[in-house]
Each structure stands twice: as C-alpha cells, then as structure tokens.
Amino acid sequence: MPIQLAEWLRTGHILPLRWGATAHDFVDFWPTAQAEIDHLRAFGCPYIVLDDVEFYFTTDPFEDLCEICIQVWALPEEANSAYFDYGWLRPGLTNSQVQAALQAQGIAYKIERGPAFQTPNLRTAEGILFGFYSDFETEADARLMKVYLGQQTGF
C-alpha cells in the first residue's frame, strides 16, 4: 500500500518509517528497493531515491535516516508510484496554491526569507520546508521545487 505523503506533510510523522531508519528498514518495507540501494551504494551515494523522493542518511552505509526531500518539480503530471501516494503534490504548484492547500488541511505555516534570498519559502509548525524557485513574477507565482522533512523542529 503506498504511503500517503499528504499525511507526512500534515503531521510531520514519516510512518511506517522512522527517523534513524537504516537501509535494512527500507528493504523490510519495500523489498524492490534493494536494487536501488545496491546501485547507489556502488557509487558511494549515502542516500536512497524512490520515485522522486530522496532519503538521506548521516552515516555510511545507509544508517540513521535524517532527512527526506520530495522532488515535486520532477514528478510526472500523472504521478503514479508503487511506493507513494503524492496526494495534492504535483509539479507546477504555485506559492499561493501551496498556501491554500496547507490552509485547507489546517496546517500552520509561516513565510521565510533568508538574508541571501527573497524566495518566499514556507515552513510548517512541524518543521517541513516548502522550497520554491526564485525566478517568479510575483511571490504568489513562485513555483514549488522541493519539500524537505527532517528531524528539525517547527517554528
């Protein structure tokens, strides 16, 4: 059964995984992931990619899951995955559409800007970061690029 990514975004919990998971845990959940793990391990990459979702580890070989990055910009229009149900995530979402989706689900968020960037990124109370392209006409039109989940805390 595919994981509901919308639930991860709503709660910040990455069930059935957990922070600190290992490659072995991935293979327990998804035996077909072993080929991807073996391929990336051969190239010295300390992460796993499953259908445009990247799982990063703090140590080699694939120990201690610490961050997840959903590559929203790379999802196919008709996103279909054996691993994930992408829910409302799809390529081309604007900042205003993401804010509307978060509000519709009752997810608290704030707009963040850094000293070196003015892109209106969004961070939820659970610490999930929605990162947008910086090339946009208006802030509302900024396109969603990636969603980052980690062990960080919210605001």
Side-chain angles (χ1 to χ4, degrees):
M1 178 173 177
I3 290 175
Q4 306 294 312
L5 292 184
E7 187 66 11
W8 284 9
L9 302 179
R10 190 180 68 73
T11 66
H13 301 292
I14 60 169
L15 299 172
L17 295 171
R18 61 177 170 71
W19 298 115
T22 67
H24 179 74
D25 296 323
F26 278 77
V27 175
D28 283 348
F29 291 121
W30 305 295
T32 57
Q34 186 65 58
E36 179 70 13
I37 293 167
D38 293 342
H39 174 76
L40 291 168
R41 183 176 279 150
F43 286 100
C45 300
Y47 60 89
I48 299 169
V49 181
L50 301 172
D51 293 344
D52 299 308
V53 178
E54 302 170 346
F55 298 88
Y56 290 89
F57 301 85
T58 58
T59 60
D60 262 345
F62 298 95
E63 299 288 330
D64 194 19
L65 177 65
C66 63
E67 184 178 64
I68 299 170
C69 176
I70 304 168
Q71 301 176 27
V72 178
W73 62 273
L75 295 176
E77 282 296 325
E78 297 298 321
N80 196 3
S81 168
Y83 303 111
F84 308 105
D85 177 341
Y86 298 105
W88 57 269
L89 292 177
R90 64 184 183 284
L93 286 173
T94 64
N95 188 288
S96 61
Q97 290 171 321
V98 172
Q99 287 189 46
L102 295 174
Q103 291 167 3
Q105 294 187 24
I107 300 172
Y109 67 90
K110 68 177 182 175
I111 298 173
E112 287 188 348
R113 291 181 176 78
F117 66 90
Q118 290 302 305
T119 303
N121 294 323
L122 305 175
R123 185 176 304 274
T124 71
E126 297 298 330
I128 298 166
L129 179 69
F130 292 80
F132 294 82
Y133 286 112
S134 60
D135 188 19
F136 52 88
E137 293 284 324
T138 66
E139 287 188 3
D141 294 333
R143 301 281 177 189
L144 180 61
M145 185 172 65
K146 296 182 178 184
V147 179
Y148 299 93
L149 296 91
Q151 294 175 309
Q152 73 272 13
T153 59
F155 53 83

